[in-house]
Amino acid sequence: MKILAVDSSAKSASIAVAENGRLISECFVNNALTHSRTLMPMVDNALSQADMSLKDIDAFCVNVGPGSFTGIRIGVAAVKGLAMADNKPCAGVSTLESIAYNFIDENCIVCAAMDARCNQVYTALFRCDGENVERICEDKAISIDELGAELSQYKEKIYLAGDGAEICFKAFGQSLENAKLSGENRRYQRAFGAALAAENKKEFTDSALLAPVYLRLPQAERELRIRKGESL
């Protein structure tokens, strides 16, 4: 199966073309340009490098959250538009799970953590055994202190990854001897990780059903509810 995968869930963005678990081509940027400017040119570039067109692609996948509200919407909208033309199947992948697939060849626990601000992170834990990625817990938004306490119960090697990894390592990494801050080469979510997760789970659906997944309300809506005295 040839999959075109998209990630625009945070500051970085990437496109990957994969076939049966093998990376064919990949474009990755981590700059200040908006995803609405960079994403479609990256799609064209990745397809060109793979010597393919959209007609050659069997399915699409995209990281649907958690992450940047705007970035996620851009990625989902792009994949919907690409898939609808030929009514091709799509898969929505957890951004945190796509991070874990960067470590599939390791024997470790991956703590994927994305900065959610206000001393919180979006996080989930995964166990890698050198060939597979197993989810330990569901995606959630918790405080950095809570995450540190949760990780203290594990004795296996732990890799902290994601754009919130460095914040977490500074907060509690020194107190956890088995925790290691991952290198930047595999710290961030990548479209190829999304492609691997999608192919492994085989949960493809109609593009019309593809939707962002948010773990909490946008900041503007949270602030409005607080002013009105409503619960979050």
Side-chain angles (χ1 to χ4, degrees):
M1 174 182 277
K2 297 182 180 70
I3 298 175
L4 189 147
V6 173
D7 171 68
S8 58
S9 57
K11 181 180 178 181
S12 63
S14 59
I15 306 292
V17 177
E19 182 175 11
N20 300 324
R22 183 170 69 95
L23 180 62
I24 306 299
S25 69
E26 182 179 37
C27 296
F28 179 93
V29 297
N30 189 14
N31 55 30
L33 297 178
T34 60
H35 298 324
S36 58
R37 288 180 55 189
T38 60
L39 213 57
M40 296 314 296
M42 290 170 65
V43 169
D44 292 338
N45 193 20
L47 287 170
S48 176
Q49 292 184 32
D51 194 24
M52 296 181 191
S53 70
L54 288 175
K55 296 290 184 183
D56 298 311
I57 299 300
D58 300 308
F60 296 85
C61 72
V62 59
N63 282 333
V64 293
S68 159
F69 290 90
T70 302
I72 292 167
R73 287 197 298 270
I74 290 172
V76 170
V79 167
K80 278 177 172 283
L82 292 169
M84 282 181 177
D86 294 306
N87 196 31
K88 292 184 177 179
C90 296
V93 176
S94 160
T95 310
L96 300 168
E97 189 166 0
S98 74
I99 293 172
Y101 271 86
N102 292 343
F103 301 84
I104 191 171
D105 60 342
E106 295 271 0
N107 285 286
C108 65
I109 286 177
V110 178
C111 172
M114 299 179 69
D115 186 7
R117 307 207 178 161
C118 302
N119 203 41
Q120 288 191 326
V121 286
Y122 301 122
T123 188
L125 305 182
F126 303 85
R127 181 173 281 109
C128 300
D129 65 6
E131 294 182 351
N132 304 290
V133 174
E134 175 191 3
R135 179 181 283 274
I136 297 175
C137 66
E138 294 303 310
D139 296 356
K140 55 192 174 183
I142 60 175
S143 72
I144 293 175
D145 290 340
E146 287 177 295
L147 178 58
E150 185 172 333
L151 291 178
S152 66
Q153 64 183 299
Y154 295 96
K155 303 305 178 184
E156 302 157 76
K157 178 169 62 177
I158 299 171
Y159 278 109
L160 299 173
D163 63 21
E166 189 170 3
I167 301 170
C168 292
F169 188 74
K170 288 179 178 178
F172 58 70
Q174 302 301 323
S175 63
L176 298 177
E177 294 183 357
N178 56 326
K180 181 178 180 180
L181 179 63
S182 62
E184 286 214 1
N185 61 316
R186 56 179 178 176
R187 185 179 303 172
Y188 304 106
Q189 57 272 29
R190 291 170 53 199
F192 181 50
L196 291 176
E199 186 163 0
N200 180 52
K201 297 172 73 173
K202 302 188 187 305
E203 296 177 353
F204 291 91
T205 186
D206 186 274
S207 60
L209 301 178
L210 199 64
V213 176
Y214 302 130
L215 294 184
R216 66 183 191 186
L217 297 171
Q219 183 175 352
E221 188 170 345
R222 293 200 308 273
E223 292 175 351
L224 178 61
R225 290 195 177 192
I226 291 172
R227 289 198 298 270
K228 289 183 176 180
E230 299 177 356
S231 60
L232 298 178

